[in-house]
Amino acid sequence: LTVSRPPCHQLFYAEPDHIESGLIHFSREETSHMVSSLRLKAGESITATDGRGRLIEAELREAERGRAVAEVLCVEEVPPPDVMLTLYQGLIRPQRMDLIVEKCVELGINRLVPLVSERALERGTEARLKRWRKIAIEAMKQSLRPHLPAIEPATAFGDALRDVAGLDLALVAHQEEEGGAGLEAADVRIGKGTIGLFIGPEGGFSDAEIRVLAERGARLFGMGGARLKSETAAIAAVAIIRRLLD
Amino acid sequence: LTVSRPPCHQLFYAEPDHIESGLIHFSREETSHMVSSLRLKAGESITATDGRGRLIEAELREAERGRAVAEVLCVEEVPPPDVMLTLYQGLIRPQRMDLIVEKCVELGINRLVPLVSERALERGTEARLKRWRKIAIEAMKQSLRPHLPAIEPATAFGDALRDVAGLDLALVAHQEEEGGAGLEAADVRIGKGTIGLFIGPEGGFSDAEIRVLAERGARLFGMGGARLKSETAAIAAVAIIRRLLD
């Protein structure tokens, strides 16, 4: 059996280890959303995902305050996208970082590495990481995608640098390139593989950081003539890259 | 004399009628920003714009609390972009509408028409309009563009419809088109002229609205497989269109 896609206008999430023996046990939050906000009742059909590519058609067996359990009816395995896109994002102010997580997950990143680069505004805390992961789940549900992007802990620039060699394509947004090549010229249509997109914090990457990224083979690109805020550059670049890959 | 561009990392704004006899009289807000935040002093060089394409190199003559006056040294007239892009945006929740104004001005819209469509969440007030115009000025300054986009008062869908015939290209984001043509196929590279981009509110345009837009010659396009929030679709579409036009 396969689930028709888009199967519904509402996608629910359950962690993989909360799905067993044909039953889905929803978290307290998801239960509250189902029962209190949407007023779903036992017997109703829902669609859920484990965030690992499974779209699950299920029927609610229990739907009470604090407890929602559904029976799995059928499962479709959705393959991951051909091109896995990781955003390496220099850390910026909390509200604007939250915006990046929400919008870039909607627009189709597969992994986010918050970067502690030279001009990053902060180091990233455990609480922030938890918050980003929550935002990512909501954005995944919003966009009806069954793959939950990995949100990594804040990572030192030097450590992220080690990823570059393993990427099929590394791209760096660079203000100085404004008269230069845009994303089209960067030839992002790699067909299948991994792309890493590096976006600096406010103030951008330092000259030394740009130099070492370029030395490792990353391609610099400009975002047109205007000066963009860091979060605007990230959202716009992800939108354009996903569009070029489609 | 021409001003080298980008002439600085800071662009100030003065309304056209505050520039006369070779002097720029800055608003109370701009003065406060210059004097209290940036601690600029008389004698320092600044770059300002009237939001109508003029980049003005000037020297501060007075810089006190409540009063900043600069003398015009030279002026560069920057031509407007070849393609003027108007965003017709179905009204959504205040915070998210603010985000659209900020990000879409940064990314290069030239005019915003807030639309009161069937599923629009509100009607748009005078206070909101004032707020959007303020956000637009900040975003123009941020992006170092010397053209201030026109932010129109909230407009009935039927009135906006009358614009369509006069546009060189009208585009409508339409969720149902997700399997269909994307923006590349809509052939936005019109060279010179006017593009109108219609983005529905949460829940999208109604079937009747989509039908009448299509009847008037608007082209429907999809934003890929994912379901996007209204503001995400607006920001992503503007980023992609400006990129395709570059």
Side-chain angles (χ1 to χ4, degrees):
Chain A
L1 280 169
T2 58
V3 182
S4 59
R5 220 174 351 136
C8 63
H9 294 291
Q10 186 80 45
L11 187 61
F12 297 99
Y13 171 67
E15 290 178 32
D17 59 1
H18 289 186
I19 308 173
E20 54 172 3
S21 313
L23 292 178
I24 310 172
H25 296 264
F26 289 100
S27 69
R28 180 199 295 261
E29 259 179 0
E30 208 71 343
T31 298
S32 157
H33 182 51
M34 280 180 183
V35 177
S36 305
S37 311
L38 299 171
R39 304 190 176 284
L40 296 184
K41 308 230 176 300
E44 291 194 74
S45 295
I46 59 165
T47 307
T49 182
D50 62 355
R52 295 190 183 171
R54 299 172 80 203
L55 272 181
I56 307 166
E57 205 165 288
E59 192 178 299
L60 275 173
R61 286 281 167 254
E62 297 178 56
E64 298 156 26
R65 270 189 67 170
R67 186 173 165 83
V69 180
E71 189 186 332
V72 175
L73 300 180
C74 59
V75 174
E76 180 189 1
E77 300 276 351
V78 179
D82 285 341
V83 175
M84 300 298 279
L85 176 59
T86 298
L87 173 62
Y88 295 85
Q89 172 66 50
L91 276 157
I92 55 175
R93 278 178 292 164
Q95 236 191 324
R96 299 192 171 266
M97 195 73 191
D98 289 355
L99 184 69
I100 285 179
V101 179
E102 180 182 315
K103 295 312 172 206
C104 291
V105 170
E106 266 187 73
L107 289 167
I109 58 167
N110 306 102
R111 185 164 159 260
L112 171 69
V113 179
L115 271 193
V116 185
S117 67
E118 205 174 308
R119 296 181 190 144
L121 261 191
E122 49 173 300
R123 306 274 155 260
T125 61
E126 193 60 36
R128 300 287 310 286
L129 179 60
K130 222 171 137 181
R131 186 172 159 75
W132 296 330
R133 287 181 171 159
K134 213 167 137 176
I135 293 172
I137 291 173
E138 288 310 309
M140 173 193 68
K141 288 163 58 183
Q142 157 67 37
S143 59
L144 303 178
R145 294 176 200 273
H147 293 96
L148 181 62
I151 312 288
E152 309 288 354
T155 301
F157 181 82
D159 291 335
L161 211 54
R162 267 178 245 131
D163 286 10
V164 174
L167 293 166
D168 293 305
L169 177 61
L171 297 166
V172 187
H174 187 40
Q175 194 66 27
E176 304 299 306
E177 296 298 297
E178 59 173 303
L183 270 170
E184 316 79 27
D187 203 10
V188 308
R189 294 185 187 81
I190 58 170
K192 209 170 162 74
T194 52
I195 294 181
L197 170 65
F198 286 77
I199 304 281
E202 288 307 320
F205 290 118
S206 70
D207 289 346
E209 286 169 338
I210 289 289
R211 202 166 42 236
V212 67
L213 278 166
E215 278 167 13
R216 301 281 174 110
R219 293 190 209 163
L220 309 188
F221 68 93
M223 292 290 293
R227 180 181 61 179
L228 302 179
K229 284 190 182 175
S230 174
E231 75 274 12
T232 315
I235 296 166
V238 169
I240 292 166
I241 290 171
R242 270 286 166 229
R243 213 59 207 135
L244 288 172
L245 291 173
D246 270 352
Chain B
L1 281 169
T2 58
V3 182
S4 60
R5 223 176 345 140
C8 63
H9 294 290
Q10 185 80 45
L11 187 61
F12 297 99
Y13 171 68
E15 292 178 31
D17 58 1
H18 288 186
I19 307 173
E20 53 172 3
S21 313
L23 292 178
I24 311 173
H25 296 264
F26 290 100
S27 69
R28 180 198 297 260
E29 260 178 358
E30 209 70 344
T31 298
S32 158
H33 182 51
M34 281 181 183
V35 177
S36 305
S37 311
L38 299 172
R39 304 190 177 282
L40 296 185
K41 310 233 175 297
E44 291 195 74
S45 294
I46 59 166
T47 308
T49 181
D50 61 354
R52 294 190 183 169
R54 298 173 81 202
L55 272 181
I56 307 166
E57 206 166 287
E59 191 177 298
L60 275 173
R61 287 282 167 252
E62 297 179 54
E64 298 156 26
R65 271 189 65 172
R67 185 173 166 85
V69 180
E71 190 186 329
V72 174
L73 299 181
C74 61
V75 174
E76 181 188 2
E77 299 277 350
V78 179
D82 286 341
V83 175
M84 300 297 281
L85 176 59
T86 298
L87 172 62
Y88 295 85
Q89 172 65 49
L91 277 156
I92 55 176
R93 276 178 294 162
Q95 235 191 323
R96 299 191 172 264
M97 195 73 191
D98 290 355
L99 183 70
I100 286 179
V101 178
E102 180 183 316
K103 295 311 172 205
C104 292
V105 170
E106 265 188 74
L107 289 167
I109 60 167
N110 306 102
R111 186 166 159 258
L112 171 70
V113 179
L115 270 193
V116 184
S117 67
E118 206 174 306
R119 296 180 190 145
L121 260 192
E122 49 174 299
R123 305 275 154 259
T125 61
E126 193 60 36
R128 299 287 309 285
L129 179 60
K130 223 171 136 180
R131 187 173 158 74
W132 296 330
R133 287 182 171 159
K134 214 167 136 177
I135 293 171
I137 290 172
E138 288 309 309
M140 172 193 67
K141 287 163 57 184
Q142 157 67 36
S143 59
L144 303 178
R145 293 175 199 275
H147 293 96
L148 181 63
I151 312 290
E152 309 286 353
T155 300
F157 180 83
D159 291 335
L161 211 53
R162 267 179 244 130
D163 286 8
V164 174
L167 293 166
D168 293 305
L169 176 61
L171 298 165
V172 187
H174 186 40
Q175 194 66 28
E176 304 298 305
E177 296 297 299
E178 57 173 306
L183 269 171
E184 315 80 26
D187 203 11
V188 307
R189 293 185 187 81
I190 58 170
K192 209 170 161 72
T194 53
I195 294 181
L197 169 65
F198 286 77
I199 304 282
E202 288 307 319
F205 290 118
S206 69
D207 290 347
E209 286 170 337
I210 289 288
R211 200 163 45 237
V212 69
L213 278 166
E215 279 167 12
R216 301 282 174 109
R219 294 190 210 164
L220 309 188
F221 69 93
M223 291 291 294
R227 180 180 63 178
L228 302 179
K229 284 192 182 174
S230 175
E231 75 274 12
T232 315
I235 296 166
V238 169
I240 293 165
I241 290 171
R242 270 287 166 227
R243 212 62 207 133
L244 289 171
L245 291 173
D246 269 352

